[in-house]
Amino acid sequence: MFGVVYGGFIVQGLALGTLFALYARDRWGRLWQGRVWDLPRAVLGTRPQQAASVAAAVLAVLPAGAHLLWACGSTRGLNADRIADRTSDFYVVEAQSAGYLVLAVAAALTLAFRRGRALPVKVPLAAAWVAGAAAACWAGWQATASLVVAESAAERPTALMNLTYAGGMIVGVLVAGLVVRFLVAHPAAANRRTV
């Protein structure tokens, strides 16, 4: 039964991901053509975009650092329940969370400051979209789950855990906002505004 249920989820996820990639290519494919440096300054490199990417980088220091510490085995800032339940899965998820935050910020800075002159636009754009969404969604889920009233103090999230979740969510939303701004501000987007 387990294999059938989770096998179905895997097939469904792969199908939805493939369909979205095909839709995105047809809908926005012309927007991510070319190199980062070749894009007009109105699309990339405006002061608000640069300020948002720097804010995301500054805000990512705490959550990325906390996730990295927890991935390396530190128990600082974890509640007693989480410390007792750490398995290899915990360390992998924490390393991924730190990696998503770092990748999202690096991609946002690359786009906003137009670095990587020869880099195809689709590389930092896809990295910002995927890593920013992963950071925002996972941190959002953790923040929502932390609102559940715990029966004991050992189960309640610590202040550092709550700050880590909130910081990850904010960073992910800022980076996703930069991607959306890119898609809206691109001159080729004005040619096709229909859904």
Side-chain angles (χ1 to χ4, degrees):
M1 187 69 163
F2 179 85
V4 171
V5 171
Y6 284 96
F9 285 145
I10 290 170
V11 170
Q12 180 184 16
L14 291 172
L16 288 172
T18 302
L19 290 171
F20 178 75
L22 293 172
Y23 171 76
R25 185 192 66 201
D26 291 344
R27 170 91 181 174
W28 300 298
R30 69 197 171 288
L31 302 181
W32 59 63
Q33 300 301 315
R35 305 283 177 201
V36 171
W37 189 253
D38 297 334
L39 290 172
R41 196 144 185 80
V43 175
L44 289 175
T46 63
R47 295 242 185 251
Q49 290 170 337
Q50 290 173 346
S53 66
V54 169
V58 170
L59 289 171
V61 171
L62 174 74
H67 285 301
L68 187 61
L69 282 173
W70 296 334
C72 292
S74 175
T75 59
R76 187 160 198 85
L78 291 174
N79 61 20
D81 192 45
R82 184 62 58 93
I83 291 170
D85 289 341
R86 290 180 304 158
T87 63
S88 59
D89 292 346
F90 170 84
Y91 297 110
V92 170
V93 168
E94 293 303 322
Q96 284 177 334
S97 296
Y100 285 137
L101 286 165
V102 169
L103 182 60
V105 167
L109 290 169
T110 299
L111 289 170
F113 288 96
R114 298 172 57 179
R115 299 291 182 226
R117 297 173 186 254
L119 192 64
V121 172
K122 60 182 143 190
V123 173
L125 192 64
W129 183 260
V130 171
C137 291
W138 183 244
W141 163 249
Q142 289 177 312
T144 302
S146 72
L147 296 175
V148 174
V149 178
E151 294 178 13
S152 69
E155 295 175 348
R156 284 188 212 115
T158 64
L160 180 59
M161 290 170 71
N162 283 329
L163 282 173
T164 299
Y165 305 152
M169 217 173 18
I170 293 167
V171 169
V173 168
L174 278 173
V175 172
L178 285 170
V179 172
V180 169
R181 176 70 183 136
F182 169 85
L183 295 174
V184 170
H186 198 287
N191 298 336
R192 186 177 173 189
R193 294 278 185 205
T194 60
V195 177

